[in-house]
Amino acid sequence: MAFGLAYYGLAGGLAALAAAGYYVQRILAKDAGTPKMQEIAAAIQSGAEAYLKRQLLTIAGFALVVAVLLWFGISQEAALSFALGAFASYLAGVVGMSISVRANVRTAEAAKKGLREALSLAFEGGAVTGLLVIGLGLVGLAAVYLAFNNVAALIGFGLGASLISLFARVGGGIYTKAADVGADLVGKVEAGIPEDDPRNPAVIADNVGDNVGDCAGMGADLFESFVVTLMATMLLGLAFGEGSVWVTLPLLVGTIGVISALLGMQFVKLEKDKKIMKALNRGTYVTVFAFAVLLFFAFTMGLEGTVAINYWYAALVGLALTVVVSKITEYYTAKEHTPVQEIAQASRTGAATNLIQGLAVGMQSTAIPVLAILVGVLLAFKFAGVYGIALAASAMLSCTAIIIAIDAYGPITDNAGGIAEMARLPESVRKVTDALDAVGNTTKATTKGFAIASAALGALSLFVAYSEAVGLRILNLLEPSVVVGLFLGGLLPFVFASYLMKAVGKAAFKMVEEVRRQFKSIKGILKGTAKPDYARCVDISTSAALHELFAPAVIAVTTPLIVGFVLGPAALGGLLAGAIVTGLLLALFMANGGAAWDNAKKYIESGNLGGKGSDAHKAAVVGDTVGDPFKDTAGPALNALLKVLNTVALMAAAVIAASVPAWI
């Protein structure tokens, strides 16, 4: 039966890819607008594709070195599955982003017909990325398992996905925030021109950044989470026996996730009340409900001779966390709620008070999500032991298709608004795209909350799998090497995040200088009689992002190996535990705080507290500028760090356990 479930996983993945192809055909058949709109969209497409091509050349050498080390140091199976995982992760991001940068101009054109048409097209554009992620993940996992008949070979597939996710998150995050900061500080604050104004030299780079960061980056991030979580659950299933149904059960869970998401996507339609967030939430709720019902029948009817209902309860915990974490994140980051409005109110007395309030909100926002995750871990363990924790994480990640669809909708609508602004479309069109974009800011924030929570559960599942692999039953805090590992792990997310923040700062400095230079040296830009040099700003963001890729990757890959070989497997266990704890807290703090700063600015821009151009608005722009690398660079990249650390440790577990230093 185990192999049968693997074939179910393969079929579910192929179904997701077929559905993605259907949506691609529908999107490309839509009107792409006027020649001016197509010209602007082509510039965004060209910039995004050029960045990804240069990124591929940059990381290919690093990936080749890792593949060779795996080939000779671990096994040929590990090297081949690593290459497949890296390729699948990259493909999911590239193809999804390619459709997003074509859906944006079509969404702007659809906005001429109204909100309903524009929402439908933007969501379908996001659905392509979501379906590609879960489809390629299921096909890859099932194919590797069926080809090698070896669950351990899946670790290579997960490592490939992890490394690409790290590169995509780091590179995309630096790119998008360098452009965004330059566009905001010089365009909005100094020159006083609107966002997405064609007179701003950084505007095309900013629009490109939305796609390489929020679309390709988020796609790679959740592809990795989905793959490594299912992989860890399959490894833990070995405790029930090599041919046990529990080994391949996660693939069935993923397939049910595909079916549920396809059903939920049909309910994302605007009703007479024209509430966009309600329409998007409806899709999530239908997906989760359908998932729960289908899982019940699959578990109770297909798992004969087992206490299937307990495993269903464990899976329900993961589904509940999907909804709970999203709602908590929405409360702390949406401009309709108190935390964001308090930051906006604090902006009335300047940037300093805005920053103080934003930091406080970010710190406070960690409490309830962490408590929810802890309760979920305890419940899942009570129902089905350590396998139940991993199963809860697998169920949560199997909602990925609908979650990414809602996330990738954000950059599509953001770009659509930019195209409408630059093409000088009627105010009625911009009104529609602004309404879509306003909701997109909240959906991007809630998706980051989901990504962080699921990354923590995924990392915890990997940690349990590592502990099983090295025979680590307990972490003795009275053992010095474990304490050293624990503190090193707690330190690592801070060092990693600081590196990325500095990288954004350096890149943003270059961007600000370039935008100022163009305003001074190219006469007629602000009057609209001269065209800015958009390509120069795109090149600055691209070069800065690619230049900073390697150091974070080296830190993430080498640290667990050094600690494991020098201090032993128990110390490495301490490192992984410390990194999960501080990484989760720091990621939530940065992502939620940054999103709250962003929406506080948008709350003021919507006409509150003096509106655009007021002193409160200028202070809020400063807060948003600080929050940008929090929420779009360092915070999300910590997800990838946690999973790379744990996947590398799991890959090297057997070697580390066999070569414990004599002095340990």
Side-chain angles (χ1 to χ4, degrees), residues 30-34 37-38 40-41 100 102-114 117-119 121-122 412-423 425-426 428-434 436:
K30 301 292 184 181
D31 189 354
T34 66
M37 293 168 65
Q38 293 180 40
I40 297 165
S100 292
R102 287 163 174 78
N104 54 16
V105 67
R106 289 166 172 81
T107 299
E109 179 65 20
K112 295 177 180 178
K113 300 177 182 177
E117 290 79 3
L119 170 63
L121 206 156
I412 292 173
T413 57
D414 194 351
N415 275 198
I419 292 169
E421 179 78 27
M422 288 182 275
L425 297 184
S428 59
V429 174
R430 189 63 208 242
K431 186 176 180 180
V432 170
T433 58
D434 281 350
L436 294 170

Side-chain angles (χ1 to χ4, degrees), residues 86-291:
F87 174 73
S89 178
Y90 185 79
L91 186 65
V94 168
V95 176
M97 193 207 67
S98 177
I99 297 304
S100 292
V101 296
R102 287 163 174 78
N104 54 16
V105 67
R106 289 166 172 81
T107 299
E109 179 65 20
K112 295 177 180 178
K113 300 177 182 177
L115 196 60
R116 185 186 302 272
E117 290 79 3
L119 170 63
S120 177
L121 206 156
F123 177 76
E124 288 182 3
V128 171
T129 303
L131 291 167
L132 282 171
V133 164
I134 197 168
L136 288 170
L138 280 172
V139 168
L141 287 170
V144 170
Y145 178 73
L146 291 169
F148 297 121
N149 191 21
N150 183 357
V151 180
L154 295 174
I155 302 174
F157 188 83
L159 181 60
S162 293
L163 282 180
I164 295 301
S165 171
L166 184 64
F167 283 123
R169 265 307 189 191
V170 170
I174 294 171
Y175 186 112
T176 184
K177 290 306 105 180
D180 200 5
V181 169
D184 278 359
L185 283 184
V186 186
K188 282 186 177 181
V189 177
E190 295 182 9
I193 59 178
E195 188 173 1
D196 297 321
D197 193 296
R199 294 171 292 176
N200 193 326
V203 69
I204 295 295
D206 190 13
N207 280 281
V208 170
D210 290 333
N211 292 284
V212 300
D214 281 325
C215 186
M218 179 60 79
D221 185 356
L222 285 176
F223 177 87
E224 175 203 21
S225 290
F226 176 71
V227 164
V228 300
T229 301
L230 265 65
M231 173 198 76
T233 311
M234 294 173 73
L235 286 168
L236 292 175
L238 290 173
F240 297 93
E242 179 70 41
S244 168
V245 67
W246 304 105
V247 174
T248 49
L249 183 65
L251 297 176
L252 175 63
V253 173
T255 295
I256 293 174
V258 170
I259 298 169
S260 304
L262 290 173
L263 180 62
M265 287 174 183
Q266 309 312 308
F267 287 82
V268 181
K269 299 182 185 300
L270 206 62
E271 295 182 339
K272 293 181 180 179
D273 57 13
K274 295 187 178 181
K275 292 184 178 180
I276 302 168
M277 195 71 199
K278 182 179 177 182
L280 296 172
N281 282 337
R282 190 187 310 114
T284 302
Y285 298 151
V286 170
T287 298
V288 170
F289 179 76
F291 204 158

Side-chain angles (χ1 to χ4, degrees), residues 186-413:
V186 186
K188 282 186 177 181
V189 177
E190 295 182 9
I193 59 178
E195 188 173 1
D196 297 321
D197 193 296
R199 294 171 292 176
N200 193 326
V203 69
I204 295 295
D206 190 13
N207 280 281
V208 170
D210 290 333
N211 292 284
V212 300
D214 281 325
C215 186
M218 179 60 79
D221 185 356
L222 285 176
F223 177 87
E224 175 203 21
S225 290
F226 176 71
V227 164
V228 300
T229 301
L230 265 65
M231 173 198 76
T233 311
M234 294 173 73
L235 286 168
L236 292 175
L238 290 173
F240 297 93
E242 179 70 41
S244 168
V245 67
W246 304 105
V247 174
T248 49
L249 183 65
L251 297 176
L252 175 63
V253 173
T255 295
I256 293 174
V258 170
I259 298 169
S260 304
L262 290 173
L263 180 62
M265 287 174 183
Q266 309 312 308
F267 287 82
V268 181
K269 299 182 185 300
L270 206 62
E271 295 182 339
K272 293 181 180 179
D273 57 13
K274 295 187 178 181
K275 292 184 178 180
I276 302 168
M277 195 71 199
K278 182 179 177 182
L280 296 172
N281 282 337
R282 190 187 310 114
T284 302
Y285 298 151
V286 170
T287 298
V288 170
F289 179 76
F291 204 158
V293 172
L294 292 173
L295 274 180
F296 175 80
F297 286 109
F299 280 22
T300 56
M301 295 174 65
L303 304 178
E304 298 176 3
T306 68
V307 284
I309 196 68
N310 286 339
Y311 291 91
W312 180 66
Y313 288 149
L316 282 188
V317 169
L319 296 179
L321 281 175
T322 300
V323 177
V324 170
V325 171
S326 296
K327 296 306 292 183
I328 295 169
T329 307
E330 182 181 335
Y331 172 75
Y332 279 105
T333 59
K335 63 181 182 179
E336 292 79 15
H337 299 297
T338 302
V340 167
Q341 292 177 12
E342 287 178 343
I343 297 174
Q345 289 287 346
S347 305
R348 298 169 65 188
T349 51
T353 46
N354 169 283
L355 294 173
I356 291 170
Q357 188 66 29
L359 289 170
V361 167
M363 292 176 184
Q364 186 186 69
S365 72
T366 63
I368 303 178
V370 169
L371 290 174
I373 291 170
L374 295 180
V375 170
V377 167
L378 291 174
L379 287 174
F381 182 82
K382 177 178 175 58
F383 291 131
V386 292
Y387 186 85
I389 297 173
L391 189 61
S394 294
M396 186 177 186
L397 265 302
S398 294
C399 295
T400 290
I402 190 74
I403 298 297
I404 291 185
I406 293 172
D407 174 75
Y409 148 94
I412 292 173
T413 57

